[in-house]
């Protein structure tokens, strides 16, 4: 949990040997790793051992993984010693998260604690669900440490302009605001209704619903609540900026100084457009996250780098790999395209090798995040034709 905080306090020139280091395995100095990267690998391996011991102990593990272990033919507590050993598990299937009983995911070590349940997706069929106790708070407290106080001064209030309902986003942003000494205001937004409108081709109704959501946001911003920060999606941010312009105002004039945003619409082209046409100097940071992973911040986005967006998971609590489309056990070389593979490693939730519905390019570590990242995140091409983006 503390690695993201601790490692960020080191300062070390970024140096690497020309070796590609594609794939995975036990790291060693001959592979050209920096000291920070070696420390990150070591802390990740130690964290993996701790999480495996927790989830597969009869005293602390959850019913799902304890039952799963009886059918493996091997004992994870004896055979998993490092992150690379997680390959011994089969890829995690998202169908395992659909339907109940949801308590099969609650670790025995948390019996008696209040439990939240959050949904992910749900545009078709039974939604996937995950339980949570404190993870959503911890994830956003870690993310909070990446926000510059210059643009996100403590004590100021927030607007949450994004998907609400059974998703963890509303509560997570609310906790983010509270942890920084502020209060979060939230609009009502049902992304499943948006997607249904798109699929039915009801464009007039879709436009009316979007206007309804944006009107809520403008009403809150104009009510004197001293809101300085906002979470929203790229599409909603653009719609809000356009509506404010029609009223002779702007994002900056409404009092906003800092924005964090996320979604597959976050491309370098859109980022440049937003920074040059919509924000008038308002600070914006992209994020990549979901109910299963937490929140992956981006390294600073600059014009000098073509507004490239590279995300880094909150390791060791979550690990992102970019893997071969046909062989999910093989990590692609740096700069190459593959499917995003997620591993979640918290005491509340363990997911080994979950293939996301996204693809992107593998990015190398750098000083602030000395582990692999991903850029160019977009819908997985084999599923893109059946994916409705909606408000994202």
């Amino acid at each position: 949990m503390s690695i993201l905080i601790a490692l960020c306090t080191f300062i070390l020139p970024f140096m690497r040997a020309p070796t590609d280091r594609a794939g995975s395995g036990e790291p060693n100095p001959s592979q050209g790793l920096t000291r920070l990267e070696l420390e990150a690998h070591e802390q990740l391996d130690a964290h993996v051992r701790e999480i495996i011991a927790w989830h597969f102990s009869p005293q602390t593990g959850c019913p799902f993984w304890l039952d799963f272990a009886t059918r493996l033919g091997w004992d994870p507590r004896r055979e998993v010693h490092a992150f690379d050993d997680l390959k011994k598990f089969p890829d995690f299937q998202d169908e395992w998260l659909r339907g109940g009983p949801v308590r099969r995911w609650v670790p025995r070590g948390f019996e008696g604690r209040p439990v939240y349940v959050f949904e992910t997706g749900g545009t078709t069929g039974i939604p996937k669900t995950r339980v949570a106790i404190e993870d959503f708070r911890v994830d956003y407290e870690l993310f909070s440490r990446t926000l510059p106080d210059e643009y996100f001064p403590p004590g100021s209030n927030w607007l949450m302009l994004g998907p609400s309902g059974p998703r963890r986003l509303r509560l997570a942003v609310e906790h983010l605001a509270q942890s920084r000494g502020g209060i979060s205001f939230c609009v009502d937004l049902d992304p499943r209704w948006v997607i249904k409108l798109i699929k039915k081709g009801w464009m007039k109704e879709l436009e009316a619903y979007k206007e309804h959501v944006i009107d809520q946001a403008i009403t809150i911003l104009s009510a004197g609540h001293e809101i300085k920060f906002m979470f929203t999606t790229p599409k909603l941010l653009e719609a809000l900026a356009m509506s404010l312009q029609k009223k002779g105002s702007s994002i900056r004039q409404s009092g906003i100084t800092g924005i964090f945003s996320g979604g597959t619409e976050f491309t370098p082209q859109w980022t440049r457009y937003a920074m040059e046409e919509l924000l008038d100097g308002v600070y914006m940071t992209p994020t990549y996250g979901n109910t299963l992973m937490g929140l992956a911040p981006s390294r600073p986005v600059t014009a000098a780098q073509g507004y490239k967006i590279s995300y880094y998971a909150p390791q060791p609590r979550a690990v992102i790999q970019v893997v071969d489309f046909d062989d999910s056990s093989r990590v692609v070389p740096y700069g190459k395209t593959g499917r995003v593979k997620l591993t979640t490693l918290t005491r509340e939730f363990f997911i080994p090798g979950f293939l996301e519905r996204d693809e992107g390019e593998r990015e190398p570590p750098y000083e602030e995040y000395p582990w692999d990242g991903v850029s160019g995140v977009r819908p997985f091409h084999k599923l893109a034709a059946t994916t409705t983006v909606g408000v994202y």
Side-chain angles (χ1 to χ4, degrees):
M1 162 181 172
S2 61
I3 183 173
L4 184 61
I5 303 168
L7 290 180
C8 289
T9 63
F10 286 89
I11 299 176
L12 184 71
F14 181 58
M15 301 177 61
R16 70 174 56 257
T19 176
D20 186 37
R21 294 183 298 150
S24 57
E26 194 68 25
N28 60 71
S30 66
Q31 291 178 293
L33 300 179
T34 68
R35 177 171 61 86
L36 284 183
E37 290 173 54
L38 282 170
E39 290 177 356
H41 275 289
E42 291 167 358
Q43 292 196 42
L44 175 60
D45 287 345
H47 185 73
V48 166
R49 292 190 291 273
E50 175 188 332
I51 295 303
I52 289 295
W54 172 272
H55 280 283
F56 290 93
S57 164
Q59 287 72 44
T60 57
C62 68
F64 178 89
W65 286 118
L66 294 176
D67 176 68
F68 196 90
T70 64
R71 293 177 273 113
L72 279 175
W74 52 276
D75 185 350
R77 291 177 296 174
R78 292 180 177 272
E79 298 196 27
V80 175
H81 306 288
F83 178 79
D84 199 51
D85 293 332
L86 295 177
K87 286 182 178 179
K88 297 177 181 180
F89 288 96
D91 284 342
F92 190 93
Q93 302 301 307
D94 64 353
E95 294 301 319
W96 296 344
L97 296 174
R98 298 187 192 272
V102 73
R103 283 198 175 273
R104 73 187 189 277
W105 293 104
V106 179
R108 292 176 177 173
F110 291 119
E111 285 185 4
R113 296 281 301 277
V115 176
Y116 294 88
V117 61
F118 299 122
E119 294 181 2
T120 174
T123 56
T124 58
I126 298 173
K128 297 186 289 291
T129 55
R130 73 151 289 184
V131 297
I133 294 93
E134 292 287 343
D135 273 357
F136 70 96
R137 297 188 180 97
V138 173
D139 290 337
Y140 276 68
E141 287 171 11
L142 290 174
F143 171 68
S144 177
R145 295 174 181 267
T146 71
L147 298 176
D149 287 350
E150 177 184 358
Y151 301 104
F152 297 86
S156 301
N157 296 332
W158 287 71
L159 171 64
M160 210 297 280
L161 178 56
S164 50
R167 291 152 200 84
R168 84 173 198 160
L169 189 59
R170 184 265 169 92
L171 285 179
V173 172
E174 197 164 46
H175 180 71
L176 173 63
Q178 294 169 352
S179 70
R180 297 183 70 85
I183 299 170
S184 177
F185 293 80
C186 182
V187 303
D188 292 321
L189 195 160
D190 181 0
R192 292 175 184 166
W193 180 238
V194 172
I195 290 173
K196 185 170 289 187
L197 292 174
I198 293 173
K199 288 183 175 180
K200 289 181 177 294
W202 294 352
M203 295 300 107
K204 289 183 179 180
E205 289 81 358
L206 176 65
E207 186 64 24
Y209 186 68
K210 182 179 72 173
E211 290 179 3
H212 167 65
V213 170
I214 297 302
D215 283 346
Q216 292 180 68
I218 292 176
T219 298
I220 293 173
L221 289 173
S222 63
H225 292 303
E226 300 180 335
I227 294 170
K228 291 186 178 298
F229 322 131
M230 179 169 61
F231 167 81
T232 190
T233 69
K235 284 186 176 181
L236 290 174
L237 177 59
E238 184 173 355
L240 176 62
M242 294 295 100
S243 293
L244 287 170
Q245 286 181 17
K246 290 178 181 178
K247 296 177 182 292
S249 185
S250 67
I251 297 289
R252 173 178 283 280
Q253 290 174 335
S254 69
I256 298 297
T257 62
I259 297 170
F260 92 87
S261 184
T264 55
E265 296 289 310
F266 231 127
T267 64
Q269 296 79 10
W270 186 87
T271 303
R272 178 175 181 174
Y273 163 69
M275 290 183 173
E276 293 181 353
E277 303 293 336
L278 305 179
L279 299 181
D280 188 29
V282 173
Y283 181 90
M284 179 176 67
T285 183
T287 55
Y288 173 52
N290 56 42
T291 305
L292 305 182
M293 172 175 64
L295 205 60
S298 65
R299 64 185 301 172
V301 180
T302 64
Q305 293 186 333
Y307 297 95
K308 182 178 181 179
I309 304 170
S310 301
Y311 299 110
Y312 290 82
Q315 200 169 301
R317 292 171 58 80
V319 178
I320 286 177
Q321 297 170 290
V322 182
V323 299
D324 185 89
F325 290 124
D326 299 315
D327 181 2
S328 64
S329 67
R330 190 179 75 83
V331 176
V332 302
Y334 287 119
K336 298 300 182 181
T337 303
R339 191 168 180 180
V340 178
K341 184 178 181 180
L342 166 68
T343 297
T344 302
L345 296 161
T346 76
R347 289 196 171 199
E348 293 179 20
F349 209 54
F350 169 58
I351 296 184
F354 179 81
L355 292 172
E356 293 279 11
R357 298 170 66 89
D358 302 319
E359 64 181 51
E361 284 68 54
R362 183 187 177 199
E363 292 295 323
Y366 80 116
E367 294 96 331
E368 196 165 352
Y369 302 108
W371 47 80
D372 282 3
V374 60
S375 65
V377 175
R378 54 198 179 272
F380 177 42
H381 65 277
K382 291 184 179 179
L383 302 174
T386 60
T387 299
T388 304
V389 176
V391 298
Y392 300 97

